């Protein structure tokens, strides 16, 4: 749910003309959204765990001197349809990996820095808006 959707809901809740039935509809919608978010998180965690397990197995196979240690990663990427194709440029795949690493570093840095107190948070109104019934 976007920040603007939360702002819309806050405004809707603050409106004195909002009826109790409308509030119940908003509560149901929020509970449904929360449930869907938890399901998406569980699926993403499962994919992450499978990929992490494949990566660890690949490194262990390399340490053990297996003839093809990349089998585990290849299998997991193939299951997700993420194997680079034969015609796919190696440079593009490597630059995607570097960009992802840079983005992750920025996110990690942003999470460790506390936001200065007293700063104004700009509201962004982007993305699909949810309309609330009246």
């Amino acid at each position: 749910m976007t920040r603007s959707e939360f702002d819309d809901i806050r405004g809707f809740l603050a409106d004195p003309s909002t009826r109790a039935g409308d509030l119940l509809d908003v509560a149901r919608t929020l509970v449904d959204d929360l449930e869907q978010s938890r399901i998406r998180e569980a699926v993403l965690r499962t994919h992450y765990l499978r990929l992490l397990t494949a990566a660890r197995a690949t490194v262990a196979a390399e340490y053990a001197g297996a003839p093809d240690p990349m089998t585990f990663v290849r299998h997991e990427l193939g299951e997700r349809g993420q194997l680079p194709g034969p015609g796919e440029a190696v440079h593009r795949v490597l630059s995607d990996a570097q960009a992802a690493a840079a983005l992750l570093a920025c996110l990690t840095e942003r999470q460790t820095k506390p936001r200065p107190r007293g700063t104004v948070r700009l509201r962004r109104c982007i993305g699909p808006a949810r309309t609330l019934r009246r």
Side-chain angles (χ1 to χ4, degrees):
M1 186 178 288
T2 64
R3 182 170 305 285
S4 63
E5 287 175 317
F6 279 115
D7 291 340
D8 290 345
I9 291 170
R10 282 189 188 97
F12 183 73
L13 295 174
D15 186 357
S17 66
T18 302
R19 297 180 315 228
D22 295 336
L23 294 174
L24 188 57
D25 288 342
V26 169
R28 285 184 181 128
T29 301
L30 291 174
V31 168
D32 289 345
D33 284 357
L34 180 61
E35 184 178 10
Q36 290 300 315
S37 295
R38 291 180 64 83
I39 290 169
R40 281 192 305 269
E41 180 187 11
V43 168
L44 286 174
R45 285 178 181 267
T46 301
H47 291 317
Y48 172 77
L49 182 59
R50 288 178 58 144
L51 187 58
L52 182 63
T53 302
R56 289 174 51 86
T58 297
V59 171
E62 182 183 30
Y63 289 165
D68 187 15
M70 293 297 291
T71 301
F72 303 103
V73 170
R74 239 185 248 110
H75 172 75
E76 190 59 33
L77 292 176
E79 289 281 316
R80 305 277 161 249
Q82 295 295 317
L83 274 174
E88 197 168 359
V90 172
H91 304 305
R92 188 178 66 77
V93 173
L94 293 176
S95 68
D96 287 350
Q98 288 173 338
L103 286 172
L104 186 59
C106 286
L107 285 174
T108 304
E109 180 181 314
R110 180 181 279 174
Q111 288 175 352
T112 58
K113 286 185 181 176
R115 197 172 77 180
R117 294 195 181 268
T119 60
V120 176
R121 183 184 310 187
L122 297 176
R123 292 185 178 160
R124 295 174 38 182
C125 297
I126 60 171
R130 173 174 291 144
T131 57
L132 300 173
R133 291 184 294 175
R134 284 275 172 194

